[in-house]
Amino acid sequence: MAQNGKIGVTTENIFPVIKQFLYSDHEIFLREIVANAVDATRKLQALASKGEFKGELGDISVRIELDEDAKVLKITDRGIGMTEEEVDKYINQIAFSSAGEFLEKYKDQIGGIIGHFGLGFYSAFMVSKKVTIDSLSWKDGAKAVKWSCDGNPEYEMTDSDKTDRGTTITLYLDDDSEEYAHKGKIEQLLEKYCKFMPVPIVFGKEQEWKDGKYVDTDKDKIINNIDPIWTKAPSELKDEDYLKFYRALYPMHEDPMFWIHLNVDYPFTLTGILYFPKIKERMAIEKNKIQLYCNQMFVTDHVDNIVPDFLTLLHGVIDSPDIPLNVSRSYLQSDANVKKISTYITKKVADRLEEIFNDNRSEWEKKWDNVKLFIEYGMLTEEKFCERGLKFALLKNTDGKYFSIDEYKKAIEGEQTDKDKKVVCLYATNVEAQYPFIEEAKNKGYDVLLMDCELDSHFVNLLEQKVENLRFARVDSDSIENLIPKEDRAKFEMKEDERYDLENMFKAVLPSGNDYFVNGDNLGAEAAPVLITQSEFMRRYREMSALGGGMNFYGEMPESYNITVNMDNPLIGKIMDAEKAEVKPQGELPAEAPSDATDEAKEEARKAREAVRTAHRSDVEDFARGNEILRQVVDLALLSNGMLKGKALSDFIARSRKVVSDAYLK
């Protein structure tokens, strides 16, 4: 028997298309050929379970052999094999897929067939100058058939001398693909794509150390685990099983905090295990650590389309035959099932987190600092997860005590409700840097949260939207009286020329490069002479902008600070008295030009008024720079905010020494 012909394709250029466009990575060829061999084996098992195949299954492993010198790679299975007619149908007419047809017929007898497409076999031509098939069908009386093709639509089909059931695919590697003629490379690809396939994959022999070197033994080296733990029922597994599997997947990682075992068979089939890793450096997060499988065949570790973005922070495995793949099985296609699966996974994650919160609160609190970023990210990006997260998300105060959101609101509403009936959550981002403000708040009887996560500026915004009558204020964003106003305070009044002098006086000794808004207020004789704060609104939106919150214009603006001068403080009184004594009053400004004056006259009048202002401002600034008490109180305020640096800090230290010397040595 001999047959020659052309492969049934719609174009003479199918092989260049396969090489250049069908698969993004040429290494996929090994996955495809091994997957087909596994399919053939699984089909035979299904036939045996149905009673249609009555022979002995015997060894059902898939064997890979490599001749490095000849650059020949063989993949052999003992599955159902093919008849001449089947080779003609499924190889020569590449539009068909035997897997899909078989699955429809035997869907009740087999858990899943990997192949969905008839093009997988042809991936061999990406790396081969010639490919042969030797196959003997399981059917009684079948004759073995040999098929060969050298990478163009011409093929040859003849009788084969194969006597064992199954199929051998032989790849004669081309010169451009020499890298695949090395044992180490094949081992690497088998480990990546085939390590959990449901049929034993044999490549080479186990080795042992003998006479100072590793030598082969008689024992086959099976490179895969055919029963990974995600295929088992959770009731069969212990914690150590989950941890052992995690260590095998991620050998250089710390043990995970906890995990979720996924197992659903309606309305789609999905299994898997998702692990919550420990996050050491919050912004050094590793994504793309979830591996996607289709019937235990590795597909990709980019699962952005099947899980919400925040879940890509997790590690683990998802396996589903219902995930729609493109023809090369290299990435996901859009499909209604993808959305359903994504929704299901999100729900299962939320269920598990709420379960830990309800059943083991102390453990949840211990884990919170490690999962906080993940929870906040999920609540900010997924509405359904946010609804669930409001129940189990925690807030931690500066004393290290944890509260749910509802618990915290109830705990502080007695002391921290403002005049508008809003419960005000005070928070700090750095306990050491904001220590004076925290202590002042505590002395007032207030509690202070620690919000030191990178997403907290976004998260407090979210909570203000989701929780009724709740407001957040950073503890250093205003004076303690203004953070939680209990009643309307009378606005501190100053004459215009006094306010003008106060503003110029303090701006003269503040660091350049920032915007300052100087105001006087009555904060009490015991309060600090100068208070430097940042507007809650401006600071929060600058931080959100820095994280890509869609408000980049805030990030481009200069830093702005509110400078509150405590007019009740005796030192400020002394400074103001000295200024009045040393600086000549501005005097009456020249009159503005009448409205009907010429433009030239108006400009002259403006310049005359500006000249008086400039001369007076210069006098005020000279006074400020020469007044050591003023410079000292401003530097103390800067120092308490971490804003005193470089030469200014050095000058402050020298001035402080002088003040101490003057006070105690004279």
Side-chain angles (χ1 to χ4, degrees), residues 32 40 83 138 246 256 261 268 307 309 323 329 335 339 345 372 388 439 446 469 496 501 509 546 557 622:
E32 293 299 303
T83 63
W138 67 282
Y246 184 82
H261 195 136
F268 46 81
V307 299
D309 194 48
I323 296 173
R329 300 191 283 207
D335 183 87
K339 180 62 178 173
I345 293 173
K372 178 180 179 180
R388 301 287 301 277
E439 285 303 294
Y446 298 155
N469 293 323
E496 184 179 352
D501 284 0
V509 293
M557 297 172 66
D622 287 344

Side-chain angles (χ1 to χ4, degrees), residues 229 234 236-247 256-257 259 275 352:
I229 67 169
E236 299 176 32
L237 302 168
K238 299 177 181 179
D239 286 355
E240 186 52 40
D241 296 318
Y242 289 104
L243 291 172
K244 183 179 179 181
F245 183 65
Y246 184 82
R247 291 165 191 152
M257 292 180 291
W259 48 86
Y275 293 91
R352 175 67 171 136

Side-chain angles (χ1 to χ4, degrees), residues 476-489:
D476 59 352
S477 63
D478 209 333
S479 65
I480 193 65
E481 286 77 12
N482 291 334
L483 285 173
I484 309 178
K486 304 290 187 178
E487 57 188 22
D488 290 324
R489 290 182 64 208

Side-chain angles (χ1 to χ4, degrees), residues 47-95:
L47 292 169
S49 68
K50 199 173 191 294
E52 293 188 27
F53 174 70
K54 297 181 170 41
E56 292 293 326
L57 287 175
D59 177 16
I60 59 165
S61 62
V62 173
R63 293 178 174 270
I64 292 95
E65 300 172 73
L66 175 66
D67 185 332
E68 291 185 316
D69 294 331
K71 300 181 187 175
V72 174
L73 184 66
K74 290 186 178 183
I75 298 92
T76 301
D77 68 72
R78 296 190 71 252
I80 59 172
M82 288 182 286
T83 63
E84 179 183 348
E85 292 76 14
E86 287 168 335
V87 171
D88 188 52
K89 180 178 180 180
Y90 298 127
I91 300 299
N92 296 336
Q93 300 179 50
I94 65 175

Side-chain angles (χ1 to χ4, degrees), residues 119-132:
L119 291 171
F121 163 74
Y122 279 88
S123 65
F125 288 96
M126 294 191 299
V127 299
S128 306
K129 58 189 176 186
K130 179 181 177 181
V131 178
T132 67

Side-chain angles (χ1 to χ4, degrees), residues 460-475:
V460 297
N461 261 18
L462 178 73
L463 293 181
E464 288 174 339
Q465 296 168 26
K466 297 293 184 181
V467 183
E468 190 176 4
N469 293 323
L470 193 71
R471 178 169 67 84
F472 283 79
R474 205 167 90 168
V475 71

